[in-house]
Amino acid sequence: MRDITGRVAWVTGAGTGIGAAAAVALAASGVKVVLTGRRAAPLEETAATIEAAGGAAMVLVVDVVDR
């Protein structure tokens, strides 16, 4: 497998479900993640999980259907 350490991933829907799980898995692989979704609280929870494990996360509240 290719080493993705230090890369950046932008994960939409990162506050819950598959999006959150993907963000946590990417962070565990050394990826810096940008967490986006419509609600701040779930995104902050995902970021806290990532940061508690030593990863790096940035939260941006975004609704991708809103121009």
Side-chain angles (χ1 to χ4, degrees):
M1 278 183 63
R2 191 169 132 204
D3 182 18
I4 58 175
T5 303
R7 300 281 186 153
V8 177
W10 178 5
V11 182
T12 60
T16 60
I18 294 170
V24 170
L26 285 164
S29 296
V31 175
K32 299 171 186 172
V33 290
V34 179
L35 310 173
T36 59
R38 292 176 293 146
R39 297 174 294 138
L43 295 171
E44 294 293 346
E45 289 178 26
T46 303
T49 299
I50 290 169
E51 291 166 356
M58 176 182 180
V59 171
L60 293 174
V61 178
V62 175
D63 185 349
V64 295
V65 298
D66 184 8
R67 289 182 187 219

